[in-house]
Amino acid sequence: MSAPDPPGPPSLDRYQLRAAVRSAARRLAAAGVASPEVDARLLAEHLLGTSLVLSDGAGEDFLPAYLALVGRRAGREPLQHLLGVMWLRGLELRVRPGVFVVRPETEVVAGEAVEAARALPTPLVVDLCTGSGAIAAAVAVEAPGARVVAVEIDGAAAALARENCERLAPGRVEVVGADATAPGTLADLDGCVDVVVSNPPYLPPGSVEDAETARYDPRAALFGGGRDGLDVPVAVVGRAAALLRGGGVLVLEHDPGQGAVLRQAARAAGFATAATGQDLAGRDRYLRAVR
């Protein structure tokens, strides 16, 4: 019996593959995607299963699948939904449609909570409105001495938070399905918590201009309620005031225009100090208050 023929060359050689990715980037740029080159590369690597730099080409099934993904991205379907993953502070988190996609500005919010937790040997940290569990997982991974409790009212998001936290920090995060602002939620921890962190819904009505956010992120995770979007954030400040021990720290993400109101709300709730921190773009982005 003769030996089987050796496999033929890939249908796209390395030069054709890179040309296809460059063409995809141009298509995404024309569609208004903010980072077309990066998105085109990540979609290709998602299908290739390896870095584009290391790839010598692609098989015959690559191009149709790649063009389909690029078309969906050009239609402004979120990159994270297409890849099935998103990232925060170097962690790869799973994501699903119907659950809020974590944003780059939350990097500094999570970092502030991590720093506060690391200042103690065995801190108790509560993440209110945890969504996908991104911040809770980051705290658990970066502050390994911490006990972390995460609260989320939406069932699908809470299920994803459990999945993300258990995969990234096994046994380290307890996810509670509950209203983060209700007085009875975690009432047994009142006065005992060292750090409360939260990225709650906070957008004012009508403030969403990005097509991807408007079409794909759940409204309940975006809008904070009331004329200025502050109903939920102010309620979180009140709940945090009850949960925290004296000297405990609250880190609360907010819209750039909400800093003054939330500092005032923190002082009214009994916090000793309240200050506004900035995100990586220099915009007012979070409240840091000490009980």
Side-chain angles (χ1 to χ4, degrees), residues 252-269:
L252 173 73
E253 184 170 329
H254 60 70
D255 189 75
Q258 296 170 336
V261 173
L262 287 171
R263 291 194 303 271
Q264 182 179 6
R267 295 188 187 100

Side-chain angles (χ1 to χ4, degrees), residues 123-161:
L124 173 56
V125 181
V126 170
D127 178 10
L128 298 177
C129 306
T130 194
S132 64
I135 295 177
V139 172
V141 169
E142 297 185 55
R147 173 194 171 196
V148 184
V149 181
V151 180
E152 174 55 49
I153 194 171
D154 180 80
L160 183 59

Side-chain angles (χ1 to χ4, degrees), residues 12 15-25 40 62-63 66-67 70:
L12 292 181
Y15 304 104
Q16 292 169 324
L17 173 60
R18 285 153 180 74
V21 174
R22 290 194 297 271
S23 176
F62 171 83
L63 193 56
Y66 184 55
L67 293 177
V70 171

Side-chain angles (χ1 to χ4, degrees), residues 64-116:
Y66 184 55
L67 293 177
L69 283 179
V70 171
R72 291 167 65 184
R73 185 69 185 109
R76 308 310 296 274
E77 190 168 344
L79 177 70
Q80 296 87 345
H81 288 182
L82 298 174
L83 301 178
V85 296
M86 60 187 177
W87 299 270
L88 181 76
R89 295 183 64 82
L91 297 179
E92 185 177 278
L93 299 124
R94 291 172 183 161
V95 66
R96 298 191 189 104
V99 179
F100 182 76
V101 173
V102 70
R103 302 302 202 267
E105 48 264 33
T106 302
E107 294 269 344
V108 293
V109 175
E112 192 73 31
V114 167
E115 188 174 313

Side-chain angles (χ1 to χ4, degrees), residues 20 49 84 153 169 175 186 193 201 210 223 240 243-244 262 264 266:
I153 194 171
V175 178
L186 306 185
V193 177
D210 180 82
F223 298 103
L243 285 166
L244 288 165
L262 287 171
Q264 182 179 6

